[in-house]
Structures are given as C-alpha cells and as structure tokens.
Amino acid sequence: MKKRILCVLAVLLTFIFSLQVAFAQERNSSTQKLNNQKTALENADRIEKSIFGNRALESSYAGVYLNKDGNLVVNYTGEDNIIQNRVTANDTIYKKVSNNLQTLNDANEKFQGLVGKYGIESVELSIKNNCVIVTYKNDADLEFLNSLFDAEAVQFKKSIPNMGFQFTTNVINGNSGGLTSGSNSFTIGCRAKSSSTGKAGVLIPGHIFPDTDTDVYYNGGSSVMGTTKQTQCSGKVDATFVQTKSSYKPTLDFADGDSYEYTSVDTGKYGLREGLTVHLHGSYSGKTEGEILSTSFTANVGGISMTNLVKCDYVSEGGDSGGAVTYDRYIGSATSRVSVMGLQSLRFVPDSGTWTPGSSFSCFSRIDYIYSALNLTDY
C-alpha cells in the first residue's frame, strides 16, 4: 500500500514539474517574441525611411509584416533584391513577391469604393499574402469582379454563409457606460481633450449614434459622468467624445489592472504592422490578446461603409465596443510603454453571435483618425 501511495505521489510530482516547465517555456517564448517585435519595428522604420523618396527602391518595395516569431519580413519585387543591397538589417527576412506596394494600394483603393456594390462585402489589404482580398456574396458577380483589376494582385473570396459583421456594443478605462441610468452597453476607451475648448473627457464608440449633449452614465450607475460633444460612425472613424463633469476625472488606468502611457497619434507612421501583438481592454471580455491581420480593412456594416479599419484576431464580445486597443511600444530603450492604437469597433461572427475561432475576427478604428476627425488631442 505504501509503495502504491509513493508511486502515485511520484507521478503527481512529475506531472506538476512538467506543467511548470511548459508554463516557463511559454513565458520565455512570449517574451522572446515581444523582444523580436521591438527589433522588427525599429528595422521597419529605418528601412522605410531609406526607401521612400528613392524611385527605384519604391518600385521594388512590397511592404513589411511581422511573422509568427515576431521577426520582420520585407517583401520585394524584381530579380535583384536592391532593397537588401541598400538597407541591411539584422534578424530580417527578405521575400520575393509579385506585386509592389503601389500596385496593392491602387487595388485596395479601387475596391474600397465598391464595397456594398456588385456583391462586395469587404476589402482587405494583406501584405503577408501580397494581395488585396475581396470578399463577395454572389457567384454571379465573380466574372464581372475579375474584369475590374489585375487578377494577380486581387484574391476573390466567397463570404461564409450565416456569418456577418456586428458592432460590438453591450472613470476607469475598460469599465462600461450607457446612455440610460443603470445600463451597460459599451466600453470606455481612453481619455482625450478637445483641441478647441481644452475640455477633458473620454472616448466611447460612435455606433451607438448619440445626439450631441446626450448624457452618459458610468459603469451601470445612475449618475451622469458627462455629455457627448462630437461623434462619428462612418468612413475611418467609429468614436464619440464625451466631455466629463468635474467630479469625474479621466485616468490612464484600465479596469483589468493595466494602464497606458499615451495614445499613438503617429499610428500611421510607427507600430502599425501586420503580425504585431495587440491587446483589447473590453468591459465584457476584459483583456484579450491577438495579432494584427490587416492594416486596412473595409466593410459595409448595416449600410454604413467603414474604411481603413485594422483587422485583428483578438476575441471581442458584445459590450466591448469602444475598448482601447494597445500595444507595447519601445522608443530608444529596452523599456516598453503601453500605447493606445485605436478603439474596438466591430466583429465578424455567425448570426448567433458566438465567436468562432478561425473564422471570427475583430476590427478597431485608429486613434490618429479619431483625433483628427473629432478635433481632439492627447493629454
């Protein structure tokens, strides 16, 4: 009996030790990936500064993305890799592709203007796949769609049946808010300040469609924390600015225990790369992690054309709309600074609303577009 007990204990100890080793390896792998991403972002910035303004390099350049290990991949066209010959970077992978970045941007812009027509449901720029992915609904439209642009630069993909886009609607950022007393219908994203009045406030989603000077309630309570001042839900922007009352002070803290240091008003110039690890801070889902799948995603959502959203694979649920999407930013040191890149906008899920791994995805509206459209500034 004693031998049997000792044997069971030995098995349990072995199992516990194996789990500890597995968890340690996972942590080390995650840390290494973030370190690789830091180097990759720095190299991407340096490479693009050398490319833009040089006609020969620009004609060869086909964009960059971060691979599953966090390393930088530089796409180029042509027989000779003139980019690598001119700009060398450690821990960087160079990949020959068919279409340069200008061709992809032209195709992306052309089909963005056709979303909602000819059965087109969405348009996605994919640097990793070196193409623009156009999702269509009806087979009858495919022949016409193929005639619109060079087929090599565009990949047509039939939409998944019984799935569609939903806006994820359900003063500590990441807590909930509502337009009626006691309601919890959206997430408070981050703080901001009006450039014209200098008044402080917070950002919430635009697709709740509030009128100007609508009262906003905080975290399911009965007290008004502020009133809406500017709002937009179309084009590149899905956001509303709420000017807070003096008794409600906006902070840099999230309800999940994290905090951020500043917002990335230079999102378009730094950090916005396919493959980058990002985090959503939602009032329903809490903190969830994912990667950027596309830096330019356009879709028609209930008759509203949303353009240039950022497509990601982090999980989002109803009530997470407006939640801040952050990333670890490294500038001139090994210390990371959490920076807000945008606000959660919509998700692609089955009609049932249940998140489906491998098919579902989320999109956020970029913070630099939001600030510009609503005349806001960081503080």
Side-chain angles (χ1 to χ4, degrees):
M1 184 65 179
K2 185 180 291 185
K3 288 184 178 180
R4 180 178 295 178
I5 293 173
L6 289 174
C7 184
V8 171
L9 286 174
V11 171
L12 285 174
L13 289 173
T14 301
F15 176 71
I16 292 171
F17 177 74
S18 299
L19 283 178
Q20 290 175 332
V21 171
F23 287 144
Q25 290 175 338
E26 185 176 349
R27 285 195 300 270
N28 290 338
S29 177
S30 178
T31 300
Q32 184 60 52
K33 181 176 180 178
L34 289 176
N35 288 336
N36 291 344
Q37 289 189 354
K38 168 186 176 294
T39 302
L41 291 177
E42 292 173 345
N43 285 339
D45 188 48
R46 184 166 63 86
I47 288 171
E48 288 194 338
K49 284 180 179 178
S50 300
I51 289 174
F52 295 131
N54 184 308
R55 185 172 298 180
L57 295 180
E58 284 184 7
S59 65
S60 175
Y61 184 57
V64 299
Y65 66 94
L66 280 59
N67 67 11
K68 62 181 180 63
D69 297 318
N71 293 316
L72 185 69
V73 180
V74 180
N75 288 347
Y76 71 94
T77 61
E79 294 302 322
D80 298 321
N81 189 354
I82 59 175
I83 293 176
Q84 184 176 14
N85 294 337
R86 181 70 64 88
V87 189
T88 58
N90 295 329
D91 302 314
T92 298
I93 301 165
Y94 292 86
K95 185 174 76 172
K96 183 179 178 180
V97 295
S98 300
N99 306 296
N100 67 15
L101 186 59
Q102 186 60 56
T103 299
L104 296 179
N105 286 336
D106 288 345
N108 189 47
E109 184 176 351
K110 182 179 183 69
F111 281 97
Q112 277 183 335
L114 298 177
V115 170
K117 304 176 183 177
Y118 312 115
I120 298 176
E121 293 192 338
S122 66
V123 176
E124 172 186 350
L125 173 64
S126 176
I127 300 298
K128 180 179 179 180
N129 294 305
N130 190 235
C131 67
V132 172
I133 301 172
V134 177
T135 303
Y136 67 95
K137 189 173 183 179
N138 303 309
D139 288 333
D141 296 317
L142 184 57
E143 183 177 353
F144 174 75
L145 293 176
N146 273 315
S147 70
L148 292 177
F149 208 86
D150 177 10
E152 190 176 28
V154 180
Q155 176 184 328
F156 294 102
K157 179 180 177 183
K158 191 170 183 180
S159 60
I160 303 173
N162 303 315
M163 293 189 73
F165 297 101
Q166 296 179 354
F167 285 122
T168 50
T169 304
N170 197 4
V171 167
I172 300 295
N173 306 302
N175 272 335
S176 63
L179 299 183
T180 57
S181 177
S183 65
N184 298 287
S185 56
F186 52 81
T187 299
I188 298 166
C190 62
R191 71 183 194 180
K193 181 181 288 187
S194 170
S195 298
S196 57
T197 67
K199 298 293 186 179
V202 295
L203 290 172
I204 63 174
H207 62 254
I208 56 175
F209 302 108
D211 294 326
T212 303
D213 292 325
T214 297
D215 289 340
V216 177
Y217 296 81
Y218 178 65
N219 209 28
S222 59
S223 298
V224 175
M225 75 168 184
T227 55
T228 60
K229 294 300 178 183
Q230 292 96 15
T231 185
Q232 180 176 327
C233 181
S234 61
K236 302 175 182 178
V237 176
D238 178 9
T240 298
F241 175 66
V242 179
Q243 182 179 306
T244 49
K245 299 171 66 174
S246 59
S247 55
Y248 285 85
K249 182 181 179 181
T251 71
L252 297 173
D253 300 321
F254 292 118
D256 55 41
D258 281 4
S259 62
Y260 72 96
E261 192 159 334
Y262 53 86
T263 52
S264 294
V265 293
D266 59 348
T267 298
K269 298 179 180 179
Y270 186 87
L272 189 66
R273 308 289 183 184
E274 286 182 26
L276 180 71
T277 298
V278 294
H279 296 96
L280 166 67
H281 302 268
S283 63
Y284 184 90
S285 300
K287 181 180 179 181
T288 59
E289 181 178 296
E291 294 182 354
I292 292 177
L293 302 177
S294 173
T295 60
S296 179
F297 185 85
T298 297
N300 185 280
V301 189
I304 301 172
S305 179
M306 301 301 301
T307 64
N308 297 101
L309 299 178
V310 181
K311 176 183 175 182
C312 304
D313 62 3
Y314 60 74
V315 176
S316 63
E317 300 290 348
D320 287 333
S321 275
V325 179
T326 64
Y327 79 109
D328 292 328
R329 180 167 181 166
Y330 297 83
I331 301 179
S333 71
T335 302
S336 65
R337 300 176 180 180
V338 177
S339 181
V340 175
M341 185 174 276
L343 300 184
Q344 167 63 19
S345 176
L346 58 88
R347 64 192 188 124
F348 184 73
V349 292
D351 294 340
S352 63
T354 304
W355 185 271
T356 305
S359 299
S360 296
F361 57 84
S362 303
C363 294
F364 69 83
S365 181
R366 284 170 44 174
I367 197 71
D368 54 339
Y369 290 155
I370 293 171
Y371 275 18
S372 177
L374 302 187
N375 193 27
L376 304 174
T377 185
D378 192 15
Y379 80 101

